[in-house]
Amino acid sequence: MERRDFVRTLGAAALGPVLQPRVPSPYPRAPLRKLDRVGLQLYTVRHQMEKDVDGTIARVAATGYREVEFAGYFGKSARDVRALLDQHGLSSPSSHISLAPDQWRAALEAAPVVGHRYLVLAWIPAEERHTVDDYKRWAERLNRAGAEAKAAGLQFAYHNHDFEFVPVEGKLPYDVLLAETDPKLVQLEMDLYWTVKGGQDPLAYFGRWPGRFPLVHVKDSAGPPDHTMAAVGAGKIDFKKIFAQSDQAGIRHYFVEHDNPADPFASIRASYEYLKRLEF
């Protein structure tokens, strides 16, 4: 073979793979998703709500949020709250409540007026959670509240902090609550920050208890050792990885929260802008 023929043959061989038609994969990659709506737990702006409920709600809506979760109505009636939400194009699928008898009855009555579908207990008092049996008794109480909520056409849920991930008698209290509550009566609002701060992986819980987490609190951590809270996207929590398993977890509502932001409105804006762009 002459040199020019050899070079021509070599060039054709090199181009061969480039010119071959690309065979589509039999397992096409699923398209990336974005959140269609972002919510805010109003505890983040509680001090502003104490001074001016109407103005605070207006600013929350103007930021871009479309859902809010209440933690008290700040002196407003349920009808006034609903009118304010309607005025600003907001809905409130969830509210944190108390199980004190009078407050619980009031919450059951207010929920359909405001538009809540979930009533969430956010805390178990420290003096009532020393042993596994304490947590089992609380699970029974949660089941009873869940049955009452279901009878009213509502779903009851429990929100965690990090104390549920401190072992008690060799068990994690969160695991006890999950195992001892009826999933038809008690769902979970997972606070992603507190779960991570407690040394746990949200994805592991999604895998073990699929469909039990219709609500999540989206708050970020600057990482160990202090786990300083940060605006969403400014910390270390991998929300893209977590949200990719939303279907498995059963997540329907994503509520931004920051317990003590230096500038609440700047914080909620930064969190919203990050989540609005996030693809998963």
Side-chain angles (χ1 to χ4, degrees):
M1 181 181 292
E2 295 185 6
R3 182 178 178 85
R4 66 173 180 271
D5 295 327
F6 174 78
V7 172
R8 186 181 300 116
T9 301
L10 186 63
L15 287 172
V18 178
L19 298 176
Q20 290 295 322
R22 186 180 297 275
V23 178
S25 168
Y27 306 105
R29 182 178 178 181
L32 292 175
R33 300 160 56 189
K34 287 187 174 183
L35 297 182
D36 59 356
R37 60 195 183 281
V38 180
L40 177 70
Q41 165 51 259
L42 292 170
Y43 183 77
T44 308
V45 291
R46 63 194 179 279
H47 299 307
Q48 288 68 34
M49 292 281 283
E50 290 167 357
K51 299 172 185 176
D52 182 4
V53 173
D54 293 26
T56 301
I57 291 295
R59 289 189 68 173
V60 168
T63 300
Y65 290 94
R66 289 294 169 262
E67 295 183 342
V68 291
E69 182 178 52
F70 279 88
Y73 297 147
F74 298 89
K76 294 277 189 180
S77 70
R79 292 188 181 279
D80 288 343
V81 169
R82 179 58 180 267
L84 184 60
L85 295 176
D86 290 345
Q87 178 185 348
H88 294 288
L90 294 170
S91 64
S92 181
S94 176
S95 179
H96 282 196
I97 51 80
S98 168
L99 288 181
D102 290 347
Q103 294 181 52
W104 173 238
R105 284 193 294 272
L108 290 173
E109 293 172 0
V113 178
V114 180
H116 305 317
R117 297 187 297 280
Y118 298 88
L119 296 178
V120 184
L121 181 68
W123 183 261
I124 294 175
E127 64 274 14
E128 298 181 27
R129 48 176 167 87
H130 297 296
T131 67
V132 169
D133 283 343
D134 286 342
Y135 279 100
K136 287 184 177 180
R137 281 190 287 272
W138 263 98
E140 293 175 0
R141 188 173 181 184
L142 298 182
N143 280 330
R144 290 196 298 272
E148 293 173 5
K150 184 177 180 180
L154 304 166
Q155 176 66 60
F156 186 72
Y158 176 75
H159 163 278
N160 67 282
H161 289 78
D162 58 347
F163 63 78
E164 295 92 344
F165 303 110
V166 177
V168 173
E169 300 172 19
K171 297 183 178 181
L172 293 184
Y174 201 59
D175 294 357
V176 175
L177 292 174
L178 276 160
E180 297 289 330
T181 51
D182 183 340
K184 294 180 181 178
L185 302 178
V186 182
Q187 296 281 53
L188 283 299
E189 178 176 60
M190 179 178 280
D191 189 302
L192 299 172
Y193 166 87
W194 289 116
T195 301
V196 171
K197 185 176 185 294
Q200 302 301 312
D201 180 1
L203 298 181
Y205 277 97
F206 296 167
R208 288 170 55 198
W209 305 93
R212 288 206 70 178
F213 306 92
L215 316 163
V216 289
H217 274 187
V218 186
K219 60 208 298 186
D220 214 340
S221 166
D226 296 331
H227 287 281
T228 303
M229 286 187 191
V232 179
K236 304 293 186 182
I237 296 179
D238 190 344
F239 294 105
K240 181 174 183 177
K241 184 177 180 181
I242 293 171
F243 291 173
Q245 301 305 317
S246 291
D247 290 343
Q248 181 187 48
I251 303 172
R252 298 178 182 177
H253 304 283
Y254 305 76
F255 296 113
V256 166
E257 187 181 35
H258 190 309
D259 289 7
N260 293 292
D263 183 334
F265 289 118
S267 177
I268 69 171
R269 178 171 294 281
S271 295
Y272 175 79
E273 292 297 333
Y274 172 80
L275 291 173
K276 181 179 69 173
R277 297 189 302 268
L278 183 66
E279 295 182 331
F280 55 93

